[in-house]
Amino acid sequence: MNETFTKAMARNIFYGGAVFFFLLFLALTFDTVQTLPKRDHRENITDSVVRGKHIWETRDCIGCHTLLGEGAYFAPELGNVYKRRGGDFIKMWIKGQPTGAPGRRQMPQFDLNDQQLDDMVAFLKWTSEINTNNWPPNIEG
Amino acid sequence: MIILINNPKSAHQVYATPPGDLAIWFFIFAELLAFGIFFAAYAFARAHNIALFDASQQHLSRTSGAINTLVLITSSYFVVRAVAAIKQGYSNQCARWIGAAIGFGAIFLAIKSFEFYGKFSSGITLSTNTFYMFYLSLTIFHFMHVILGMLILAAVMLKARRGGYSAENHTGVETGASYWHMVDLLWIILFPLIYVIH
Amino acid sequence: MQYKSQAVAKPYFIAAIGLFLGQILFGLIMGYQYVVGDFLFPAIPFNVARMVHTNLLIVWILFGFMGSAYYLIPEEAETELFSPKLAWLMFWVFLVAGALTIVGYLTVPYATLASMTGNDILATMGREFLEQPLPTKVGIVIVALVFLFNISMTVLKGRKTSISLVLLLGLWGLAIFFLFSFYNPSNLVLDKYFWWWTVHLWVEGVWELILGAMLAFVLIKITGVDREVIEKWLYIIIAMTLITGIIGTGHHYFWIGTPEYWQWFGSVFSALEPIPFFMMTVFAFNMVNRRRREHPNKAATLWALGTGVMSFLGAGVWGFLHTLAPVNFYTHGTQITAAHGHMAFYGAYVMVNLTMISYAMPMLRGRSANSRSSQVMEMWAFWLMTISIVCITLFLTAAGILQIWLQRMGTSPMSFMDAQDQIRIFYWAREFSGLVFLVGLVLYIWSFFFKNSEAQAAE
């Protein structure tokens, strides 16, 4: 059997393939970054939205909830919660935690003030307006 | 990767491996698979939106696509001649044929760049519509393969010029040739699929 | 053990297993909170338990990688480690930093921890898997750079094999892509886009180079197959990994605000991602079948084969199940993702570390293999852990399918919590499987404490 299969060629294919596909990935990333302003409505990112994202992060909300489907699967999706429940409900809900219902999943009390609650809602409202290619399948998330 | 063939010359040699280094065939296999799925996806997406695809297709230049097909087939022929030359042990001839193939590759890139320039300057992007998404993705993806193929051929040419191959040992030439033929083959499928069929 | 300085791998392996135990305990807490929601509330809320669970996983796998590198590199380079002292120093730095971070998670409210650790200066916290406070993140970078310096210098002064080059490449990639964890734009879409550059390009990119190198090293040692053969297959497999995996990142870009074309790119390339895993399985079995020696360490062989099979099932098959955009539209962000995550992480990164530890620990303790009874115990641990992870995956998959059916299909979908109530039975089954996993892990740890007189006699 006259088989040629050399390590040098395998190595070249590894390096060549990796560089090639990474360059393609960079090209697609470039196009994505160019296209995003039309989809994420960044003109609507107010200071309130920015503060809201900071509150979202510093309470580790992602440790229970999903946001656009990413995060933990312990509590409801919040990417579209503004559309599902509206701003007033969100504020009331955060203020009312924990429910203390025995045996039920509990959300901590974060002691947010009115300004922080408004920021949180602003962030969730902006997030709900991102063009996500119609995900989630329905309002329940 | 082992192909059963009927070889009348040597009865005991029943198995033959594809030309060139087996490693390149893993790469070719992966590439064909990626393109193959993309082609199938194109057909699938087109079937759901024939009107859009046919309307957008009208804006492509079939002439430049046809010329490019001829250019690539010609360059593939040069590569065949290069392999034939090295099998006779003619290193310089081999290098010259490969050089010609690279030159034709460059012509392909030039014509294609001209076509892309027209599309980009009329504001077409990946997000314009599904047809253009496929058109741009597949042709740019292929364009990058032509560049990679030319780099591989250039490496082979330089080694051939230094006398690095011989009539007995020319796996490298066959390896480069195999890859270049794949690049050519992909275009031969891509051109009718995206430019012509409607 | 051929080189004295390889001994520094030992504390890394011990720390890795210790943290692994911690990870599993917190996993059990979370699994119980899934069914008894107020368990340990408010002392350990679910999000805190989850941070501890996932961060311990990451840290112990990094400990395993570093220990493996310290064991493998001197032997491959045929020279002593550049600086064992530096390796010891970094061991303590990393362990203390890791422990302090976990203590911080458990004792201080997360928001307080954030303001205490300078998150208001450079906000990086509160994103999945990257919850670590800024000093910890900086610490990880410093430890990684010192570690990379140490092993790179070792390779530079010694023999340069393909295995050590691939390992180095993977580890350097690990450090470089971690830098994206410091980039946190206020635009959520951009944040998510580049968050994946750390997360996806780690687990479906550079970590697989590390995995390939570690597996190849152990296979050379236990099968005695020619290095040339193993190294060229290593190159082909990791080439396939990167060819499919880099653009495969696109399967995370379907629904987070990124352009629609990612649905095509992500689907096409990630549909090919099982290929390298399948090749790895075939490769591992082939090499063991073509073995030229009978290595006394049967347990290590079992782990190596297990890595091949389970990474293919977990990353390859379970990844493919929900990677195509039309399917992922329904499965995204459900228990299906959790099912895939558990088996893929166990099959690939847990098992390859345990393969390496199983091979190297006896050597580090001065024998080529553990006694028969110790190995039998280890193999029991292998089967208990592996079967229970398969069960966890199956139960979570069933939970996910039902969740999708109730919450995402039909004209009158249920709310999230209503759907969760309907699938409790699967969460109970998962928790039970988790307990079996814990038993397996305890047996595994126990197997290290066996008397090893007969093996020492054989040595």
Side-chain angles (χ1 to χ4, degrees):
Chain A
M1 206 167 85
N2 179 26
E3 185 182 324
T4 317
F5 179 18
T6 59
K7 194 170 89 181
M9 186 55 72
R11 187 195 59 216
N12 292 344
I13 283 166
F14 165 65
Y15 286 118
V19 170
F20 183 83
F21 280 91
F22 196 72
L23 287 175
L24 181 63
F25 186 54
L26 286 181
L28 287 168
T29 296
F30 178 76
D31 183 85
T32 298
V33 172
Q34 298 293 309
T35 313
L36 278 185
K38 279 184 237 136
R39 304 176 55 91
D40 58 23
H41 307 294
R42 61 187 62 178
E43 66 280 2
N44 297 335
I45 303 182
T46 58
D47 289 345
S48 184
V49 173
V50 173
R51 286 195 302 270
K53 182 169 186 272
H54 193 71
I55 296 166
W56 166 271
E57 287 166 358
T58 49
R59 271 66 183 178
D60 194 40
C61 305
I62 205 86
C64 291
H65 294 276
T66 48
L67 189 66
L68 305 185
E70 293 169 0
Y73 321 109
F74 188 70
E77 160 70 27
L78 296 186
N80 65 346
V81 71
Y82 184 83
K83 290 179 176 169
R84 184 165 65 238
R85 302 291 197 182
D88 290 336
F89 181 93
I90 294 173
K91 288 193 236 178
M92 191 193 76
W93 182 264
I94 297 175
K95 279 196 277 192
Q97 298 303 313
T99 63
R104 305 294 295 175
R105 298 181 191 173
Q106 299 295 319
M107 173 169 155
Q109 175 52 247
F110 293 113
D111 298 314
L112 302 183
N113 60 34
D114 287 345
Q115 154 101 62
Q116 288 174 313
L117 287 168
D118 286 336
D119 294 341
M120 201 63 237
V121 170
F123 171 65
L124 290 172
K125 177 174 186 294
W126 172 77
T127 304
S128 72
E129 288 159 2
I130 294 169
N131 178 352
T132 56
N133 298 325
N134 297 321
W135 194 90
N138 64 45
I139 195 69
E140 296 300 342
Chain B
M1 283 297 148
I2 295 163
I3 304 159
L4 196 64
I5 57 152
N6 215 349
N7 193 338
K9 278 179 194 163
S10 54
H12 58 275
Q13 194 193 341
V14 197
Y15 294 101
T17 48
D21 197 303
L22 185 63
I24 197 79
W25 287 94
F26 284 105
F27 193 44
I28 290 176
F29 169 72
E31 301 257 61
L32 287 180
L33 215 52
F35 269 103
I37 300 175
F38 246 118
F39 290 153
Y42 174 88
F44 175 78
R46 184 181 176 279
H48 281 79
N49 205 344
I50 293 178
L52 171 81
F53 274 60
D54 284 352
S56 308
Q57 198 180 45
Q58 295 304 313
H59 300 286
L60 299 189
S61 164
R62 278 187 222 168
T63 322
S64 75
I67 295 171
N68 260 344
T69 311
L70 290 176
V71 167
L72 272 195
I73 292 177
T74 312
S75 79
S76 247
Y77 167 74
F78 291 158
V79 164
V80 171
R81 293 300 301 260
V83 174
I86 199 65
K87 278 185 175 163
Q88 307 290 321
Y90 302 135
S91 284
N92 283 329
Q93 237 182 60
C94 169
R96 275 199 294 277
W97 281 118
I98 290 179
I102 296 173
F104 270 64
I107 294 173
F108 176 93
L109 293 184
I111 295 174
K112 208 85 200 70
S113 303
F114 195 69
E115 193 183 317
F116 283 143
Y117 177 74
K119 291 285 171 287
F120 288 141
S121 52
S122 56
I124 286 167
T125 69
L126 282 170
S127 302
T128 301
N129 65 35
T130 313
F131 174 80
Y132 280 115
M133 194 288 290
F134 274 108
Y135 162 75
L136 285 177
S137 299
L138 281 167
T139 50
I140 292 176
F141 194 30
H142 181 264
F143 190 87
M144 288 176 69
H145 278 81
V146 176
I147 297 174
L148 180 63
M150 284 167 67
L151 289 174
I152 293 173
L153 287 184
V156 173
M157 181 178 77
L158 290 178
K159 189 169 171 186
R161 204 176 271 167
R162 284 200 315 268
Y165 301 110
S166 63
E168 295 77 36
N169 178 12
H170 52 264
T171 314
V173 183
E174 287 184 343
T175 306
S178 304
Y179 191 79
W180 189 253
H181 289 325
M182 179 203 78
V183 171
D184 186 14
L185 173 72
L186 286 174
W187 179 257
I188 291 173
I189 302 168
L190 210 162
F191 171 61
L193 187 71
I194 292 186
Y195 287 70
V196 184
I197 298 173
H198 62 268
Chain C
M1 194 172 80
Q2 296 169 2
Y3 298 90
K4 255 200 343 253
S5 52
Q6 284 177 291
V8 75
K10 199 168 161 184
Y12 280 84
F13 290 151
I14 293 170
I17 294 171
L19 297 173
F20 183 21
L21 182 65
Q23 186 216 339
I24 299 310
L25 292 175
F26 276 87
L28 287 169
I29 291 176
M30 293 162 69
Y32 197 63
Q33 286 175 335
Y34 254 95
V35 274
V36 180
D38 56 357
F39 177 61
L40 290 183
F41 187 87
I44 307 178
F46 181 87
N47 61 344
V48 171
R50 187 175 195 263
M51 262 189 314
V52 176
H53 178 67
T54 55
N55 284 218
L56 280 176
L57 166 73
I58 297 167
V59 171
W60 89 253
I61 285 185
L62 291 181
F63 264 113
F65 283 166
M66 289 196 268
S68 303
Y70 285 134
Y71 184 85
L72 181 159
I73 290 290
E75 209 159 303
E76 286 291 294
E78 294 181 333
T79 172
E80 292 289 348
L81 197 63
F82 177 74
S83 168
K85 272 199 192 119
L86 220 46
W88 266 104
L89 180 68
M90 284 306 117
F91 169 75
W92 287 112
V93 170
F94 198 39
L95 190 65
V96 170
L100 282 179
T101 306
I102 302 296
V103 169
Y105 288 162
L106 290 170
T107 54
V108 187
Y110 193 67
T112 317
L113 184 67
S115 58
M116 277 164 56
T117 55
N119 193 57
D120 296 324
I121 304 162
L122 179 64
T124 65
M125 291 170 71
R127 294 171 304 149
E128 199 184 1
F129 311 129
L130 305 180
E131 296 94 348
Q132 307 82 25
L134 188 60
T136 311
K137 284 202 181 82
V138 174
I140 291 174
V141 172
I142 292 170
V143 168
L145 288 180
V146 173
F147 158 75
L148 282 167
F149 169 74
N150 204 351
I151 57 166
S152 301
M153 291 306 284
T154 312
V155 172
L156 282 179
K157 72 178 172 132
R159 182 175 69 143
K160 292 153 197 71
T161 66
S162 300
I163 287 180
S164 41
L165 287 180
V166 170
L167 183 70
L168 271 183
L169 208 59
L171 292 165
W172 274 102
L174 185 156
I176 288 165
F177 286 114
F178 184 68
L179 296 180
F180 284 94
S181 71
F182 291 94
Y183 177 62
N184 180 17
S186 51
N187 183 337
L188 182 72
V189 181
L190 276 177
D191 171 9
K192 282 177 174 291
Y193 188 90
F194 288 103
W195 178 81
W196 283 113
W197 283 47
T198 299
V199 176
H200 176 94
L201 293 179
W202 264 19
V203 297
E204 286 168 66
V206 290
W207 281 28
E208 286 189 44
L209 307 191
I210 302 170
L211 183 157
M214 283 163 65
L215 197 60
F217 174 79
V218 174
L219 285 173
I220 287 181
K221 297 293 169 182
I222 58 179
T223 65
V225 170
D226 193 17
R227 171 181 289 276
E228 275 301 292
V229 176
I230 286 187
E231 286 184 337
K232 73 186 176 189
W233 282 105
L234 171 65
Y235 273 129
I236 290 291
I237 291 169
I238 58 174
M240 290 293 174
T241 300
L242 294 188
I243 288 169
T244 59
I246 293 175
I247 307 291
T249 316
H251 61 216
H252 302 295
Y253 295 159
F254 295 163
W255 326 114
I256 61 167
T258 33
E260 230 175 295
Y261 56 77
W262 281 110
Q263 294 183 26
W264 297 99
F265 277 96
S267 300
V268 169
F269 281 90
S270 60
L272 301 176
E273 278 189 67
I275 294 174
F277 285 106
F278 183 67
M279 289 173 77
M280 187 127 54
T281 314
V282 175
F283 165 68
F285 274 89
N286 239 315
M287 293 306 127
V288 171
N289 281 338
R290 286 159 67 174
R291 66 186 176 274
R292 292 190 178 157
R293 70 164 79 109
E294 291 298 332
H295 198 280
N297 195 339
K298 300 290 176 217
T301 315
L302 182 64
W303 282 112
L305 293 177
T307 308
V309 174
M310 292 305 292
S311 63
F312 171 63
L313 280 180
V317 177
W318 251 262
F320 180 75
L321 278 182
H322 61 138
T323 203
L324 299 178
V327 177
N328 192 260
F329 182 68
Y330 291 102
T331 60
H332 181 55
T334 66
Q335 296 297 325
I336 301 283
T337 318
H340 160 63
H342 280 84
M343 190 146 73
F345 250 94
Y346 175 78
Y349 300 115
V350 172
M351 287 185 95
V352 79
N353 270 314
L354 297 187
T355 304
M356 193 70 193
I357 292 172
S358 179
Y359 170 75
M361 263 313 236
M363 299 283 191
L364 289 166
R365 299 164 86 190
R367 49 183 177 259
S368 65
N370 286 330
S371 68
R372 216 186 116 67
S373 50
S374 165
Q375 285 195 44
V376 168
M377 179 72 86
E378 193 180 338
M379 290 192 214
W380 268 98
F382 169 93
W383 287 110
L384 281 176
M385 287 198 271
T386 305
I387 291 172
S388 58
I389 210 80
V390 169
C391 290
I392 287 175
T393 306
L394 290 174
F395 291 135
L396 287 181
T397 306
I401 292 171
L402 205 56
Q403 179 189 9
I404 293 162
W405 178 255
L406 297 172
Q407 187 193 322
R408 290 190 171 166
M409 314 284 265
T411 45
S412 54
M414 273 186 196
S415 75
F416 177 88
M417 276 315 298
D418 288 346
Q420 292 294 305
D421 286 338
Q422 300 294 316
I423 54 183
R424 289 166 62 90
I425 179 79
F426 295 109
Y427 292 140
W428 275 117
R430 182 266 299 270
E431 180 69 353
F432 178 75
S433 313
L435 283 171
V436 178
F437 191 97
L438 180 67
V439 172
L441 180 56
V442 169
L443 289 189
Y444 177 76
I445 294 170
W446 191 4
S447 76
F448 286 90
F449 296 97
F450 266 62
K451 289 257 185 303
N452 276 290
S453 45
E454 51 174 311
Q456 272 157 345
E459 180 64 1

